[in-house]
């Protein structure tokens, strides 16, 4: 249930960002970092985990990798926030549909993993879909691809660090906080700061960006440990599916038949990918050999 709630929060996240449409994307991300960091540290204090955090900060290898993951996740946040606040919710959702297939390519290129015929087929169909969407639009879907690649690289780094989700998020936000605070102070000095100068609603939404960031990450980490990984792989499509529906039916973003064809190709690739994964997991549980 925790995992489902996490994906539901991420799926409806565009609704949260829309009231901040008039706020510069960099300021939204800076507030997200500052208030998220504050919440996570309070959380760790009451859990009694601050001692473990000090150990992470004194481990150069871990700190270096989490610095890289902090840069990647902040880039991903910035891309997605910019997309939502500039009327590209549908294109942003496409990025998270593509994301698992980029993970597959990373596994092949970096970890030298072998793919089955079905997995290669799903990747090939996804590549054709991206090319098709680029031809139809007259330009490659750079926003979708950037969101997918940045989040895939972030997930890859977090996979090899072996740090608990909440502690990892604490280190990442702690690394980003000086930059975020410095930027917000510069905005204030330049007369462009929004917090406390506009409506109370906008200031409240900026503060709330911290919990909206930290809570689903914690719920995802909590739930993912308690259900089969194959189930997590299926549930992860709740978020981009909801984002797509929000973009089309609530914000009335254009979704012509030509674009629908490209999305249908992506969905076909995902059906093959997820179906093959569920089949392999079922055979492994049954103790039968797998065919490549």
């Amino acid at each position: 249930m925790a995992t489902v709630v996490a994906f539901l929060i991420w799926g409806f996240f565009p609704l949260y960002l829309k009231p901040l449409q008039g706020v510069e994307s960099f300021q939204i991300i800076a507030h997200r970092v500052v208030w998220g960091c504050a919440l996570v540290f309070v959380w760790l204090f009451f859990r009694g985990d601050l001692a473990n955090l000090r150990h992470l900060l004194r481990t150069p290898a871990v700190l270096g990798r989490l610095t890289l993951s902090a840069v990647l996740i902040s880039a991903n946040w910035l891309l997605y926030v910019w997309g939502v606040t500039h009327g590209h919710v549908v294109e942003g959702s496409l990025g998270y549909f593509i994301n698992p297939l980029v993970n597959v390519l990373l596994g092949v290129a970096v970890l030298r993993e072998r793919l089955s015929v079905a997995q290669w087929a799903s990747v090939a169909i996804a590549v054709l879909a991206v090319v098709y969407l680029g031809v139809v639009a007259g330009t490659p879907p750079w926003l979708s691809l950037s969101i997918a690649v940045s989040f895939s690289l972030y997930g890859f780094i977090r996979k090899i660090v072996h740090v608990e989700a909440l502690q990892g998020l604490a280190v990442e936000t702690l690394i980003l906080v000086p930059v975020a605070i410095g930027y917000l102070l510069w905005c204030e000095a330049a007369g462009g700061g929004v917090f406390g100068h506009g409506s109370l609603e906008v200031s409240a939404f900026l503060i709330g960006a911290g919990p909206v960031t930290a809570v689903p990450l914690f719920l995802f980490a909590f739930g993912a440990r308690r259900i089969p990984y194959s189930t997590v792989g299926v549930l992860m499509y709740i978020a981009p599916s909801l984002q797509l529906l929000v973009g089309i039916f609530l914000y009335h973003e254009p979704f012509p038949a030509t674009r629908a064809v490209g999305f249908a190709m992506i969905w076909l690739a995902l059906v093959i990918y997820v179906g093959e994964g569920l089949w392999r997991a079922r055979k492994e549980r049954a103790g039968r050999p797998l065919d490549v």
Side-chain angles (χ1 to χ4, degrees), residues 55-282:
H55 172 71
L56 293 178
L57 293 171
R58 293 171 183 168
T59 308
V62 173
L63 191 59
R65 289 173 177 174
L66 287 177
T67 299
L68 179 57
S69 68
V71 172
L72 288 167
I73 195 60
S74 59
N76 180 265
W77 289 346
L78 180 62
L79 288 163
Y80 187 71
V81 168
W82 182 91
V84 171
T85 55
H86 287 76
H88 300 289
V89 176
V90 171
E91 194 172 349
S93 72
L94 176 61
Y96 291 111
F97 277 121
I98 297 173
N99 173 61
L101 301 170
V102 177
N103 290 344
V104 173
L105 291 177
L106 272 176
V108 173
V110 181
L111 302 178
R112 305 298 180 187
E113 295 177 351
R114 295 177 60 196
L115 299 186
S116 66
V117 173
Q119 288 173 324
W120 276 119
S122 66
V123 171
I125 293 170
V127 171
L128 287 174
V130 170
V131 172
Y132 168 81
L133 288 168
V135 171
V136 168
T139 180
W142 293 119
L143 178 63
S144 303
L145 291 172
S146 299
I147 287 173
V149 171
S150 59
F151 196 73
S152 293
L153 289 173
Y154 170 75
F156 177 76
I157 296 298
R158 289 303 304 269
K159 177 180 175 66
I160 64 177
V161 174
H162 301 298
V163 175
E164 194 264 337
L166 195 60
Q167 293 179 356
L169 180 62
V171 175
E172 288 168 345
T173 54
L174 187 62
I175 291 168
L176 296 171
V177 151
V179 178
I181 292 177
Y183 178 74
L184 291 174
L185 291 175
W186 179 82
C187 288
E188 286 294 322
V194 175
F195 185 77
H197 300 291
S199 68
L200 183 62
E201 178 190 22
V202 168
S203 296
F205 270 88
L206 289 172
I207 294 174
V212 169
T213 298
V215 170
L217 282 171
F218 173 77
L219 290 172
F220 173 75
F222 177 84
R225 295 192 192 101
R226 289 161 175 79
I227 60 176
Y229 191 68
S230 57
T231 304
V232 176
V234 175
L235 293 176
M236 70 179 296
Y237 298 113
I238 292 174
S241 298
L242 288 173
Q243 292 164 9
L244 177 64
L245 293 174
V246 167
I248 295 172
F249 295 107
L250 293 183
Y251 297 135
H252 308 292
E253 291 187 9
F255 194 70
T258 50
R259 176 179 268 191
V261 169
F263 270 76
M265 294 171 68
I266 293 289
W267 291 327
L268 174 60
L270 293 174
V271 167
I272 294 172
Y273 171 73
V274 173
E276 197 267 354
L278 292 173
W279 173 78
R280 292 174 73 88
R282 184 176 180 182

Side-chain angles (χ1 to χ4, degrees), residues 26-42:
F26 281 101
Q27 286 198 51
I28 296 175
I29 297 304
H31 279 286
R32 193 173 183 180
V33 169
V34 170
W35 299 111
C37 185
L39 175 65
V40 169
F41 270 82
V42 170

